[in-house]
Amino acid sequence: MAEKDDIVVEAVNLNKEYYLGEITVPALREINMKVKKGEFIVIMGPSGSGKSTLLNIIGGLDNPTSGKVYINGQDISEMSDGTLTELRAQEIGFIFQFYNLVPVLSAFENVELPMMVNGISEKQGKKRAKELLEMVGLADRMHHRPDELSGGQRQRVSIARALANKPSIVVADEPTGDVDTRTGDEILELMHDLNKNMGVTFIVITHDPNIAEHCDRLIRIVDGQIASDKPTVHEILSITNEELRAYKGFTGYISDSR
Ligand code: ADP
Ligand code: MG
């Protein structure tokens, strides 16, 4: 059915508990969400509310305590480690707050790497790495190593890397948390353009209230639960910094990197 094919990610009754000695920490409680192909979803919520946990589970990096995640209709809990690793490599691009680039490799090599791992021919990989780096505005920085690039440039490299294997979904955990506001806006704009031009689905965790212009749908997480899930582009404009700070445990725009 066309409708069903349009769902790239579905989370059903997700629960996640962490166990610290005698104490059980509930990180996610009964999360249900469906992500449609081509959506640009923003996830907001106080520090410690479960945003990273949710993204990691959706991206197949972590397991829920109970509940299911379907990627392109496939139940990932039923997959072998090998199959899941393959699916992750092919279908999911990851962008992290602190980039997670390989420090000894150039920007170009960092983008090439996931394609090499995925068995793309060297020639094709090089061609695509070049195209992607041009697309993110780094044509003149391809052969620099991460420590020779600014934070914003590093994040552009990691965006190019996330797109290397033509994933159906890109997940980004506070991608602008380590850069200044202006650079952050540029990064979000770039992701928005890529979303519109390439049709790649994005799920982005951010504390940036300016992201309104860039998102189709805003999901707010509070205490491990979905507090609201709204499709309106402008809804977020009603959130002021004061309201954000009033969230329990919110510690500022630059948050933890868990
Ligand atoms: P957010 O990304 O919204 O800041 P997290 O998903 O990182 O929140 O964390 C949600 C909750 O789970 C928090 O209470 C956090 O302390 C807890 N938590 C996260 N990771 C772990 C872990 N590896 N072990 C124990 N508790 C964890
Ligand atoms: Mg987090």
Side-chain angles (χ1 to χ4, degrees):
M1 263 163 62
E3 161 86 351
K4 205 167 183 347
D5 291 344
D6 266 6
I7 305 294
V8 283
V9 178
E10 180 169 7
V12 181
N13 298 339
L14 280 188
N15 288 282
K16 178 71 176 181
E17 290 174 347
Y18 290 108
Y19 306 102
L20 295 173
E22 305 268 278
I23 303 162
T24 302
V25 182
L28 294 180
R29 296 185 284 167
E30 291 296 310
I31 297 272
N32 285 287
M33 66 188 275
K34 284 182 186 172
V35 178
K36 282 200 214 118
K37 189 170 163 32
E39 272 190 307
F40 193 106
I41 297 184
V42 166
I43 297 180
M44 294 183 100
S47 183
S49 59
K51 304 178 299 295
S52 296
T53 303
L54 176 60
L55 216 63
N56 290 341
I57 292 175
I58 284 175
L61 290 177
D62 197 0
N63 297 313
T65 306
S66 66
K68 300 263 189 199
V69 174
Y70 299 86
I71 308 273
N72 293 328
Q74 291 174 280
D75 180 351
I76 65 172
S77 68
E78 308 230 308
M79 291 178 185
S80 66
D81 285 353
T83 311
L84 179 57
T85 303
E86 215 168 276
L87 175 99
R88 216 166 39 215
Q90 288 168 2
E91 298 298 334
I92 306 168
F94 293 91
I95 299 171
F96 302 97
Q97 180 174 4
F98 297 110
Y99 326 112
N100 290 21
L101 296 170
V102 182
V104 296
L105 299 182
S106 68
F108 188 87
E109 290 162 338
N110 267 284
V111 179
E112 236 188 325
L113 188 62
M115 292 184 274
M116 287 166 68
V117 173
N118 206 20
I120 309 289
S121 78
E122 195 180 327
K123 190 169 165 226
Q124 256 189 306
K126 287 195 187 309
K127 181 165 173 278
R128 184 157 171 82
K130 184 167 174 284
E131 284 168 4
L132 284 166
L133 284 162
E134 283 167 358
M135 200 152 62
V136 300
L138 287 180
D140 56 347
R141 291 286 186 283
M142 289 195 199
H143 302 293
H144 290 236
R145 283 199 323 257
D147 66 357
E148 299 162 342
L149 297 169
S150 70
Q153 290 168 336
R154 287 181 209 183
Q155 202 56 301
R156 286 168 187 273
V157 177
S158 74
I159 291 170
R161 178 186 59 183
L163 294 168
N165 286 322
K166 305 184 180 167
S168 39
I169 174 162
V170 170
V171 299
D173 193 346
E174 303 197 28
T176 62
D178 190 45
V179 296
D180 61 76
T181 311
R182 181 145 158 222
T183 307
D185 285 346
E186 286 168 9
I187 295 289
L188 293 171
E189 198 158 319
L190 172 64
M191 295 199 295
H192 183 247
D193 287 347
L194 294 167
N195 163 257
K196 293 299 164 228
N197 299 337
M198 301 172 80
V200 185
T201 310
F202 275 79
I203 306 181
V204 180
I205 295 175
T206 182
H207 291 297
D208 185 348
N210 293 327
I211 202 168
E213 300 157 45
H214 307 275
C215 86
D216 297 330
R217 180 170 159 202
L218 170 68
I219 296 177
R220 286 200 244 180
I221 309 273
V222 177
D223 289 338
Q225 290 180 301
I226 293 182
S228 70
D229 181 346
K230 295 185 180 173
T232 73
V233 178
H234 300 292
E235 196 268 345
I236 194 170
L237 289 173
S238 65
I239 302 177
T240 63
N241 286 349
E242 286 64 38
E243 284 176 290
L244 266 179
R245 290 206 183 84
Y247 272 130
K248 191 178 123 217
F250 182 68
T251 52
Y253 290 122
I254 298 176
S255 181
D256 63 301
S257 60
R258 267 199 298 266

